[in-house]
Amino acid sequence: MTEEILVNVTPRETRVAVVENGMLQELHIERGWRRGVVGNIYKGKVQRVMPGMQAAFVEVGLERAAFLHANDIVRPAPVPSADGEEAALPPAVSKPILELVREGQDIIVQVVKDPIGGKGARLTTQLSIPSRYLVLLPQSRVIGVSSRIEDEVERARLKSIVTEFAGSSEQGYIVRTNAEGQPAEALAEDIAYLSRAWALVESQVQTTKLGACVYEDLNLPLRAVRDLIRRDVEKVKVDSRETCDKLRTFAAQYMPGLAEKIEHYSGARPIFDLYGVEDEIQHALEKEVPLKSGGYLVIDQTEAMTTVDVNTGSFLGQRNLEETVYRTNLEAAQAVARQLRLRNLGGIIIIDFIDMVDAEHRRQVLRTLEKSLVKDHAKTTVYDFSPLGLVEMTRKRTVESLERQLCEPCHECGGRGTLKTSETVTYEIFREITRAVRQFEAARLLVIASPKVVARITDEESAAVAELEEFLGKSIRFQADEQYLQEQFDVVLL
């Protein structure tokens, strides 16, 4: 398997694509005017405490007040590193929010989830700072190892090294997946770097005013090198000479063994076009995902959850119906895992696989889905088939999905995804005409609507218009206006 990281830089936007075997797997976007704030540490002020929600709103200088739950003060959720790894922290006794914070109180918080939709950023008081191989937990003495490092001997080695270098420090560390196989010297460098970073944060806290950022995570290209580049990454190709030089300098300082993988792309053809990434991005915004067998997925993202429907389509199979369904579901399980990662879909996800009678087939499909999700940097949890034949799963979400980063609700349908038919709008117009005539005096009426609706009225509904004019005793004229959307119209009394 070959994996490459492509970095596309323009003055106002930076995009990073992860390509495996020629197929786009992940896309990260950062725009100059709307940079993500996950990982940033702020000196905030408690704006409002809400006992009924066991939460508080904190002013940190963002557009909306951020949200801090009691559990993120007393018993933080497993602390995530920048690449989605987690380590369990010792449980603590939960307390009411009123015993933890008060209105007007100064508080140091870190963003764990970007503002999404109409919701403000999600905060925690359990601070963490990531480096190449470690995550510093300045308020904890826990030393944990990423669960993705499965070799017990290696886990013990890494934990021993970090414990030794941490010494009598009052700080904890999480060993990240990237640390697997790394020498003790590399881990020692990271501990020294994190100590300097934390000292700077402590200094900034003393001098920075309320609502200001005291620690800002790296920009997207540097984060990509820190979090995504591994030994199995073949190349990191950057289409900006300036950015490439910065990444090489960063890598030479913090990960010298991988610096040689970073190269400048100077080709005439745009780098994303060369790898077909632009086409893949367009496909990732569509609801329907074709499968090689002829089947297809239908992906619907709603406010509450994301649903994935699996269909056989034109795939007829060769043996029997159960085998056809099984093969389609196996292919769909792999495709679903890729699409969730590519589209950055999070929260609750419901997958409606095609019904299978054989229990072993269901187990194999579930196993294929779980195996395909292993490379996903976001934490995922998959549950067994429900009595209705649905697979429920969750995927940790920290930023908006790809669709919501790149798109906005349709101005014509208002985000419904459907439009009233011209026939429906026609009958609404007829009702509005009747209502207007009964309320107001007028000699004649002018109806302004979209060309499609007016064409239908003057053609297919001309007899109905004549009947309406006779019934009301009024003259009705219709005028098409290109500026009107299909559902828009005005009835003007003359």
Side-chain angles (χ1 to χ4, degrees), residues 17-33:
V18 178
V19 178
E20 292 177 8
N21 296 328
M23 291 187 69
L24 178 64
Q25 301 293 330
E26 289 180 38
L27 181 70
H28 304 272
I29 300 172
E30 186 172 86
R31 289 172 174 165
W33 54 274

Side-chain angles (χ1 to χ4, degrees), residues 189-376:
E189 288 174 4
D190 269 27
I191 289 176
Y193 162 77
L194 290 170
S195 296
R196 291 194 300 271
W198 178 243
L200 181 61
V201 170
E202 289 185 305
S203 172
Q204 293 278 80
V205 165
Q206 300 302 319
T207 58
T208 303
K209 63 181 181 180
L210 286 173
C213 181
V214 297
Y215 168 83
E216 187 172 16
D217 203 3
L218 301 173
N219 62 26
L220 178 57
L222 294 176
R223 285 204 313 274
V225 169
R226 182 190 69 191
D227 300 336
L228 301 177
I229 188 170
R230 298 180 296 275
R231 302 213 171 266
D232 56 353
V233 172
E234 190 175 315
K235 290 288 181 186
V236 177
K237 295 184 178 180
V238 190
D239 65 3
S240 161
R241 172 69 70 182
E242 182 184 356
T243 302
C244 183
D245 291 342
K246 288 180 181 177
L247 296 185
R248 281 175 176 162
T249 301
F250 178 83
Q253 182 178 0
Y254 294 110
M255 47 186 73
L258 302 177
E260 61 188 26
K261 294 177 180 285
I262 302 171
E263 62 180 43
H264 177 237
Y265 172 77
S266 57
R269 192 176 178 192
I271 189 169
F272 273 24
D273 286 357
L274 184 67
Y275 284 77
V277 172
E278 298 290 9
D279 290 340
E280 287 289 343
I281 294 172
Q282 294 306 313
H283 294 324
L285 299 177
E286 296 170 2
K287 287 176 61 172
E288 199 167 297
V289 180
L291 303 176
K292 290 181 180 178
S293 64
Y296 61 94
L297 312 176
V298 177
I299 301 176
D300 276 305
Q301 183 183 357
T302 69
E303 193 67 28
M305 67 183 73
T306 296
T307 61
V308 183
D309 188 33
V310 182
N311 299 277
T312 55
S314 60
F315 181 47
L316 302 177
Q318 296 179 336
R319 301 172 68 179
N320 55 52
L321 177 60
E322 177 70 15
E323 189 68 21
T324 300
V325 166
Y326 174 51
R327 294 297 171 194
T328 304
N329 283 338
L330 282 178
E331 186 184 1
Q334 298 176 46
V336 167
R338 174 176 175 256
Q339 290 297 323
L340 296 182
R341 187 177 167 194
L342 172 57
R343 298 171 185 237
N344 196 24
L345 296 169
I348 299 170
I349 297 154
I350 307 293
I351 309 169
D352 185 8
F353 286 106
I354 307 167
D355 290 342
M356 292 173 286
V357 177
D358 193 319
E360 179 59 27
H361 284 174
R362 290 197 294 272
R363 279 193 293 271
Q364 290 297 334
V365 167
L366 207 61
R367 192 175 306 161
T368 299
L369 176 63
E370 291 169 338
K371 186 177 178 182
S372 301
L373 288 167
V374 166
K375 294 209 70 174
D376 196 335

